[in-house]
Each structure stands twice: as C-alpha cells, then as structure tokens.
Amino acid sequence: MQSVTLALMAPFLIGLVASALLEAGLRPRPAPFHRRSPASVAVHIGSWCLLFALFTLVLQRPWFALVFVLSLTLVVVQSSNTKSSTLKEPFICHDFEYFWDAILHPRLYVPFFGIGLAVAASSAGALAIGGFFYFEPSLAGRFGAAYIGPLAGCAALGALLVAVGLGKSPRATFEPAADLHRLGLFTSLWRYGVALYRSTPPKASDSPFEPLTAQAPTPGARLQATPLPHVVLVQSESFFDPRPWCDDIPQSALAHFDETRAQAVQKGALEVPAWGANTVRTECAVLTGLAPGAWGARQFNPYHTLARQGLPSLASAFQARGYRTVCVHPYNARFYKRDRVMPNLGFETFIDIDDFPAELRHGQYTSDLAVARKVGRLLEDDDNRPLFVFVITMENHGPLHLEAPDQASASALLPSAHWPLPRHLRDLAVYLKHLGEADRMIDALKRSLTGASRPGLLAFYGDHVPILPEAYAHYGDPDGQTPYMIWSTESEDHGEATPEALKAQTLGVALFNRALGGEPHGEWIKAAPEPQEQE
C-alpha cells in the first residue's frame, strides 16, 4: 500500500500545483488563492482530487492522467482567454457544449483559436497518448488491485471538499467576469453548473405576450375595419453604426439606414445582452419579452430550454391575431436548436439554408439581399393573411479574418487608409463591406413593403457589435449598444421621432404595440417587469 501511495503522491502534488499555475494564466486573472474564501479554495483542491483520481482509475497511469487533466485545463484556460478577448466574457460551465458545436460547425469556432494551433494541438495530443501508453506501465500491472483503495479515497475526499466548499462559497451573481475573479476557475464552473441544474424555466405567465396568446381576439368590425399590417422584423448580424466610434468611416456608408431612421416612427439605442456573439440571448429577449434575469442560470443559452418547451412570444401573439408567422434564417436550422425552438415560439414556417443555393452567397454566407428577395416573395404570394416574418441574417457573421478585404470597397469605406491596409483595418474593411449590404437590404425591404397590398411595418436592429479586437485595440471599444428602428409604410404621416432607448426585451413589445396597439385594433400590452436575479 505504501508503494502505491508513493507512486501516486508525486503526480498528484505536481498536478495540484500546476493546476493553480495554469489558472493564473487566465485573462482576466482570478484573485490569488489567499484572497479567496477558504470554501472556494477547498473546491479547487477537491476538483483536482476528483479529476486526478477518476482519470487515473480509467487510464491506469498517474503521469498520463496528470498530463491529460492539465491539458484539458489548459484548453479551458485558452478557450476562456479567447472568449474574453473577443466576447468580453470568460468561459463558463455552459460553454462546454460548444466543443461539440465546434466539431459540427468548425467555421464558426476553430478560426478564432487558430487553425494551425488546433491541428498542432490535436497532433501533439495523439502522440502523447501513444507515448504514455507505451512507456508508462499500468498500475494494475505493477500493483494489482491495491491502487483502487487510495484512488477511491482520493475521489471521496475530493467529492467531500467540493460538496462542503460549494455549500459555503459565495453564490454566483451571473456576472461571469466578476464570478471568475471572486471564485476562481473550478469554483465558478461548479457554481454555474449547480445553478443551471437547480434552475427552473420562466412560466408562461411571466411573458408579456401571454394574455394575447391565451385569449382569442374578439371578432367584429373593429378588427376588420382597417387591414392588419404586414410586419417584418430583421435581426441583422453584428449590425451597429460604427461612424460615431471611428471618424475614418464616411457618413455616406449607411445612406439607407440614415434615411429610414429619419422616417422611423420609433428609433433609438438598443441595450443588448451580448457582445460579439451569443446571438440567441438578444434574439430570445426580443421574441419572448423576457429579460436575461428572468432565466436565471439559463440566460446564457435560453434556447436549450425553449427547444423542449415553448413560451408565449411575439410570434405566437401575432399568430393568435390571425397572422401567418415565418422565420427566415439562411443557415443550418439545427444550429442553436432553432429547428425545435421556432415552432415552440409560434412560427408556422422556418425557411433555412436549404432554400438558399450556394450561388447566393456574398462572402462566407448567404447575402442579405438574397434574404430580402425571399421576404419580398413571401409578401407577394397568394396567402391572404397578414404576415409576420422574423429574419435572422448571416452575411456579416465572422470569422471576418477568413475573408480578404477588397481594395475598391476599402478605399470607399476607409478613404483615409492606405493600401495595403494596416492590421487593425483589415477585418474592419471586410465588416464595412458587408455592412453596406445590410444597408441595401433595408431599402429592398422598404420597397417590398411599400408595394404590398397591406400597410407594413419594418423593424430592424443589430444583435450585438461585431468581433473586431484589433480595431477595438486601436480605436477603443464601442459602448456595446446597437441601433433599432421601426419604420412604417405610413411613416410620412408622422414627424421625426425622438430617439428612445430600449432594452432588447422591450423591442418586441414595442413592435406589437406599433402594429396593433393603436386604433382601430387596440391590442396594447405592457413590457414585463425587471426580474430579481437569483441563483
């Protein structure tokens, strides 16, 4: 027994120290261990005990287990640093699923880490596995079954430390950067995981759309005197107005956006719960009318919940009023489980990438103008019902560095820059080129709505600011808000609207009220109150 313990002690202690050193490589860096609560430190030690014991039991080689667990820790640290630099948010427990998504949709994830690094790490991992299995003898071959007892004791001690530590450590605030700093890597991962397991989804009654979805409209002339308007809601990928942030961009870069905004019946800044990615957080807030805090620990990907059970939404509220409800998204419908989420939110039809041939791409993804043409055809078809269509664009999705900037467009959009472009302008030039296509999409949708048989509303907003770390390092970070506007085919009857800032969860409510809240329809609803966040 003593020889088994000695054989396990060295890799265990070296690994424990190394895990603390790896954690110190996080950016932003967590508080030092001596500044954390003893309970948080106990969770870190207990986590190492558990991981070392379990992987040693499986692999039969303590040094191999040491390297394997530390390698996994390093992957999490590097993933967290990449996420922090691009998305302003460190790695959390919910992000483990994205390792699988990176296999299914590598273009959206792997380039941010570096394709060469990913290939090199995979190759090194394969060589290490082969080397350890060949050179390090197994514990069973050296000690028989005597190694099981010490490792079981190590695992039991680890489980006890984690359980006691989690019972006494500070709770998660669901501010990931602050929680990582206070709790450290392992404790914050455990805290978020436990909170997610214990969380409950919002109730239907929490949604501001629930009364309209649950109760059918009163029939009669009041609803038929004026045609219900078509409603087009566009979630434009990474759309924000970069001109106030970067003086080098000419005012003419967003001519149609400026014209439409001046004519809009409502406009302003939109506070979105995402930076650079995590589109579904903004998307869910707009469609359900619920603030992130209403989801508790589920707020970081509420579509996991909505894929299993629906909630009253903007779509179901329109559907209850006789609308045909369509979602258009030129990407794989299974991404973020939208193929299950959208029906649960009240969309009758989901048009995905299968309806957009490859020749309609502009850059890496389907062009915004192709999506606008698809919406135009929906507005022209033979269905006599009013139409609510929710558009999720893809053209300006990253990784932007996979696309080379075009000299002609770069010269027009960054006239003061010299070719070849400096490093901080390369991705920005690509972004601005596709931003111009989003601008033209606005004009195309307005023309389609103006030519339709009914009045129409166009609502347009950005889901988050783009990932432009080098440009941000040079010019500074934008404020993270995106613009929104609601335009009507009858906008000319109104004076220019005073800008009104909104939170993402109130935009869908505002749009519904614009469509049906006035005379003669009178279907007015109120935004949901701000929730109190709890673990």
Side-chain angles (χ1 to χ4, degrees):
M1 179 67 72
Q2 184 177 8
S3 59
V4 176
T5 303
L6 291 174
L8 296 173
M9 187 61 67
F12 172 82
L13 293 176
I14 291 173
L16 179 60
V17 173
S19 70
L21 295 175
L22 286 178
E23 188 190 75
L26 285 165
R27 297 293 181 272
R29 181 178 295 181
F33 280 90
H34 66 276
R35 293 184 180 175
R36 300 180 205 171
S37 68
S40 296
V41 176
V43 172
H44 182 101
I45 296 172
S47 298
W48 175 255
C49 291
L50 267 174
L51 291 169
F52 177 78
L54 294 177
F55 277 97
T56 302
L57 281 168
V58 172
L59 299 173
Q60 295 283 304
R61 293 159 176 82
W63 291 104
F64 184 17
L66 159 73
V67 172
F68 192 84
V69 174
L70 291 180
S71 297
L72 294 178
T73 305
L74 180 60
V75 168
V76 172
V77 169
Q78 289 294 93
S79 300
S80 183
N81 290 345
T82 299
K83 188 183 176 196
S84 292
S85 67
T86 55
L87 308 184
K88 309 296 183 185
E89 180 181 291
F91 191 94
I92 59 176
C93 178
H94 307 55
D95 295 330
F96 282 111
E97 67 167 315
Y98 292 126
F99 290 126
W100 178 246
D101 280 344
I103 297 173
L104 297 178
H105 308 281
R107 174 179 286 273
L108 299 183
Y109 297 94
V110 174
F112 290 110
F113 297 91
I115 296 174
L117 179 62
V119 173
S122 300
S123 302
L127 289 174
I129 291 172
F132 275 107
F133 269 103
Y134 183 80
F135 290 108
E136 185 180 7
S138 70
L139 291 174
R142 295 170 60 190
F143 304 110
Y147 71 94
I148 297 177
L151 287 176
C154 182
L157 175 62
L160 179 63
L161 287 172
V162 168
V164 173
L166 287 177
K168 296 182 178 297
S169 64
R171 293 195 169 195
T173 64
F174 303 128
E175 295 290 339
D179 287 332
L180 177 65
H181 180 77
R182 289 185 311 121
L183 303 173
L185 178 62
F186 286 163
T187 309
S188 65
L189 291 175
W190 276 107
R191 264 291 174 214
Y192 276 59
V194 170
L196 182 62
Y197 177 77
R198 292 176 176 173
S199 67
T200 56
K203 302 184 293 294
S205 58
D206 296 331
S207 171
F209 299 108
E210 193 271 339
L212 296 178
T213 303
Q215 183 178 2
T218 302
R222 183 176 64 87
L223 289 178
Q224 299 174 5
T226 300
L228 296 173
H230 291 311
V231 181
V232 177
L233 173 61
V234 179
Q235 178 175 274
S236 186
E237 174 60 41
S238 299
F239 189 97
F240 86 122
D241 185 355
R243 294 169 298 180
W245 162 73
C246 177
D247 293 335
D248 296 334
I249 302 170
Q251 290 301 306
S252 59
L254 290 173
H256 297 299
F257 169 79
D258 288 340
E259 177 187 57
T260 307
R261 197 167 185 272
Q263 299 169 349
V265 296
Q266 188 171 339
K267 63 185 178 181
L270 190 68
E271 182 181 323
V272 295
W275 176 292
N278 295 309
T279 294
V280 294
R281 299 182 191 176
T282 303
E283 188 175 312
C284 177
V286 171
L287 291 176
T288 66
L290 295 174
W295 296 86
R298 301 174 185 231
Q299 66 185 270
F300 301 102
N301 188 350
Y303 276 14
H304 270 308
T305 299
L306 291 174
R308 298 190 297 271
Q309 62 183 74
L311 277 177
S313 75
L314 179 61
S316 60
F318 275 123
Q319 187 180 48
R321 266 50 199 165
Y323 275 74
R324 177 172 50 135
T325 54
V326 180
C327 179
V328 180
H329 180 44
Y331 200 65
N332 190 319
R334 292 185 295 276
F335 189 53
Y336 275 124
K337 299 181 172 65
R338 284 190 178 100
D339 58 326
R340 288 183 277 164
V341 170
M342 293 305 167
N344 284 345
L345 289 179
F347 287 97
E348 299 173 28
T349 307
F350 189 178
I351 298 173
D352 72 344
I353 190 61
D354 292 338
D355 284 85
F356 295 92
E359 58 266 24
L360 296 179
R361 289 183 180 178
H362 189 255
Q364 303 176 67
Y365 305 100
T366 300
S367 74
D368 286 351
L369 286 177
V371 177
R373 288 191 293 270
K374 175 68 72 174
V375 175
R377 288 192 290 273
L378 290 171
L379 292 167
E380 295 169 354
D381 66 19
D382 295 331
D383 195 311
N384 291 323
R385 292 176 293 169
L387 173 67
F388 169 61
V389 56
F390 177 51
V391 178
I392 309 165
T393 72
M394 279 295 293
E395 180 176 337
N396 221 346
H397 201 291
L400 295 170
H401 65 268
L402 293 185
E403 189 175 342
D406 174 75
Q407 184 171 2
S409 65
S411 298
L413 295 168
L414 294 166
S416 62
H418 298 288
W419 193 268
L421 293 175
R423 188 176 182 86
H424 69 276
L425 293 180
R426 289 179 59 83
D427 288 358
L428 178 59
V430 174
Y431 172 76
L432 293 175
K433 177 183 177 181
H434 295 300
L435 194 69
E437 295 300 300
D439 187 55
R440 284 183 277 277
M441 179 190 197
I442 294 171
D443 183 58
L445 291 172
K446 285 169 61 179
R447 285 188 276 109
S448 294
L449 283 167
T450 302
S453 58
R454 295 172 176 268
L457 287 174
L458 169 63
F460 188 95
Y461 70 96
D463 54 353
H464 51 68
V465 297
I467 297 175
L468 295 168
E470 291 167 341
Y472 296 154
H474 183 84
Y475 294 107
D477 288 341
D479 61 16
Q481 295 182 324
T482 66
Y484 82 91
M485 56 187 174
I486 302 174
W487 174 88
S488 170
T489 54
E490 301 171 341
S491 287
E492 294 181 0
D493 297 337
H494 303 270
E496 183 168 350
T498 302
E500 177 185 356
L502 291 181
K503 294 185 177 182
Q505 64 268 20
T506 62
L507 177 58
V509 173
L511 176 60
F512 188 90
N513 287 338
R514 286 287 173 182
L516 298 177
E519 293 295 336
H521 311 301
E523 300 283 353
W524 189 270
I525 56 175
K526 294 181 179 180
E530 287 289 327
Q532 297 294 320
E533 293 198 34
Q534 297 180 355
E535 184 179 23

